[in-house]
């Protein structure tokens, strides 16, 4: 089964390919060589769906401000099959009157370091070989771009590889409030980031074929130990699984709110209002959105007397239990902090 390429990766590959040549690429050259298209390209078959996908990608790039040009073949005006497509480098570059401060340049260099790779990816290298075989030589050096992610979570690499290879994986997962990590067997579908946290979604691998797969979401930081790929592989269902999972979490985030009293001008007031989209009925109260109660409780407990939960009750209890644990570990310091926090809410 060909590798599933996300839309944003396919569109990015298209921009890179069009920037690599001044003369442009025809639709056939693009669909047969560019990563995200060539996996579905059939030299002798029906490529109507692929061509419609290309048309949608062109519209998307133009909406994003990419100067995508169409060039007619000599004497063949209006012939869509012989038209070439290119990105004008002059229009794509920054205007000459834009200047950056040393700090801004440092940040841009850091961003470039994150995205730059010493060599082309395997898929892009194969695409360039095909372009050269068709008599199209890139103009100037071709940079290889690939996100070099800082893998703060050890599980990121194994999960991402399993998604690409369609491997069933096994791992132990520690859910908040459980003393023992539970083992899961999952068909991973997509890894993604939601509000600063890395998660992945997958289907529960069940032994009975009559049982319907259940989709679950896991936070990478809560995986305990190693992620192991089994010998079993699976055919992933169609769909943009990352987008679907993020939309579901966004609905949950919008639906769940907590009322938190904060000290005006404090670190808690500033951070909570910015990060969680809180509204302020007055300067001492925030309405805070959240998708994971345990994560919010961890953060609120860290603010000490600067933040006090008014409602819901189960969030208040979760914060209190964390302060109690700190008090038990350090001999009473957190008790005074919790008492001060309770006094601030009166």
């Amino acid at each position: 089964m060909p590798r599933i390429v996300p839309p944003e990766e396919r569109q990015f590959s298209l921009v890179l390919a069009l920037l690599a040549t001044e003369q442009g690429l025809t639709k056939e050259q693009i669909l047969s060589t560019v990563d995200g298209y060539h996996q579905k390209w059939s030299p002798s078959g029906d490529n109507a769906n692929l061509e419609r996908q290309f048309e949608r990608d062109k519209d998307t790039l133009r909406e994003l401000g990419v100067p995508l040009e169409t060039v007619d073949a000599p004497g063949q005006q209006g012939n869509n099959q012989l038209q070439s497509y290119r990105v004008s480098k002059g229009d794509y570059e920054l205007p000459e009157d834009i200047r950056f401060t040393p700090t801004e340049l440092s940040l841009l260099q850091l961003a470039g370091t994150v995205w730059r790779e010493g060599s082309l990816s395997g898929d892009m290298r194969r695409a360039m070989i095909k372009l050269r075989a068709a008599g199209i030589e890139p103009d100037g050096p071709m940079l290889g771009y690939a996100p070099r992610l800082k893998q703060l979570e050890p599980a990121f690499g194994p999960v991402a590889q399993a998604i690409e290879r369609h491997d069933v994986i096994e791992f132990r997962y520690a859910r908040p409030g459980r003393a023992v990590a539970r083992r899961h067997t999952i068909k991973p579908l997509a890894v993604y980031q939601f509000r600063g946290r890395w998660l992945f979604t997958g289907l529960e691998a069940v032994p009975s074929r009559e049982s319907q797969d259940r989709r679950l979401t896991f936070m990478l930081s809560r995986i305990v130990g190693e992620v192991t790929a089994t010998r079993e592989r699976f055919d992933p269902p169609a769909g943009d699984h990352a987008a679907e999972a993020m939309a579901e979490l966004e609905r949950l985030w919008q639906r769940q709110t907590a009322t938190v009293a904060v000290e005006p001008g404090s670190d808690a007031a500033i951070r909570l209002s910015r990060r969680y989209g809180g509204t302020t009925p007055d300067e001492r109260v925030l309405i805070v959105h959240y998708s994971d109660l345990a994560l919010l409780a961890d953060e609120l407990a860290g603010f000490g007397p600067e933040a006090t939960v008014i409602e819901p009750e189960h969030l208040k209890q979760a914060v209190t239990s964390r302060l109690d644990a700190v008090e038990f570990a350090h001999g009473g310091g957190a008790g005074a902090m919790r008492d001060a926090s309770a006094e601030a809410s009166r």
Side-chain angles (χ1 to χ4, degrees), residues 117-176:
E117 190 176 56
S119 60
L120 297 173
S121 68
D123 288 332
M124 186 62 73
R125 185 180 292 109
R126 285 189 290 273
M128 296 305 298
I129 292 174
K130 292 180 180 180
L131 288 174
R132 290 190 174 100
I136 301 170
E137 187 67 26
D139 298 298
M142 179 67 178
L143 294 177
Y145 289 83
R148 190 185 300 174
L149 299 171
K150 185 178 181 182
Q151 295 182 18
L152 298 177
E153 314 299 345
F156 184 96
V159 171
Q161 185 179 46
I163 291 171
E164 184 170 345
R165 298 178 57 181
H166 311 313
D167 288 333
V168 176
I169 56 175
E170 292 183 344
F171 57 91
R172 289 186 300 124
Y173 191 74
R175 291 192 180 277

Side-chain angles (χ1 to χ4, degrees), residues 145-325:
Y145 289 83
R148 190 185 300 174
L149 299 171
K150 185 178 181 182
Q151 295 182 18
L152 298 177
E153 314 299 345
F156 184 96
V159 171
Q161 185 179 46
I163 291 171
E164 184 170 345
R165 298 178 57 181
H166 311 313
D167 288 333
V168 176
I169 56 175
E170 292 183 344
F171 57 91
R172 289 186 300 124
Y173 191 74
R175 291 192 180 277
R178 290 184 180 175
V180 180
R182 177 187 169 189
R183 178 165 291 278
H184 290 269
T185 304
I186 298 293
K187 303 172 182 177
L189 298 176
V191 62
Y192 55 95
Q193 193 179 62
F194 181 79
R195 300 191 179 276
R197 305 282 179 176
W198 283 106
L199 305 98
F200 83 93
T201 186
L203 300 175
E204 192 173 34
V206 291
S208 172
R209 290 185 176 272
E210 286 129 8
S211 300
Q212 187 174 5
D213 288 344
R214 184 164 58 113
R215 193 172 78 171
L216 300 173
T217 297
F218 300 91
M219 191 173 297
L220 292 183
S221 61
R222 290 175 178 163
I223 293 179
V224 179
E226 295 183 354
V227 176
T228 305
T230 69
R231 295 184 178 182
E232 182 183 357
R233 291 195 171 185
F234 68 99
D235 293 329
D240 190 340
H241 305 294
E244 293 170 3
M246 291 176 68
E248 185 176 332
L249 282 174
E250 185 66 28
R251 288 191 293 270
L252 181 64
W253 186 86
Q254 292 288 349
R255 187 170 64 248
Q256 295 186 151
T257 60
T259 306
V260 182
V262 295
E263 284 295 319
S266 66
D267 190 43
I270 295 172
R271 289 179 179 272
L272 291 174
S273 62
R274 289 179 178 177
R275 190 177 307 168
Y276 292 95
T279 57
T280 54
D282 61 62
E283 62 179 1
R284 293 182 175 275
V285 178
L286 292 178
I287 305 300
V288 178
H289 293 264
Y290 66 96
S291 58
D292 190 297
L293 183 137
L295 289 177
L296 180 58
D298 289 342
E299 184 169 10
L300 293 177
F303 289 126
E306 291 183 358
T308 305
V309 178
I310 299 175
E311 60 178 4
E313 184 63 30
H314 55 286
L315 176 61
K316 185 187 298 184
Q317 292 174 359
V319 174
T320 300
S321 67
R322 283 155 173 77
L323 295 176
D324 285 341

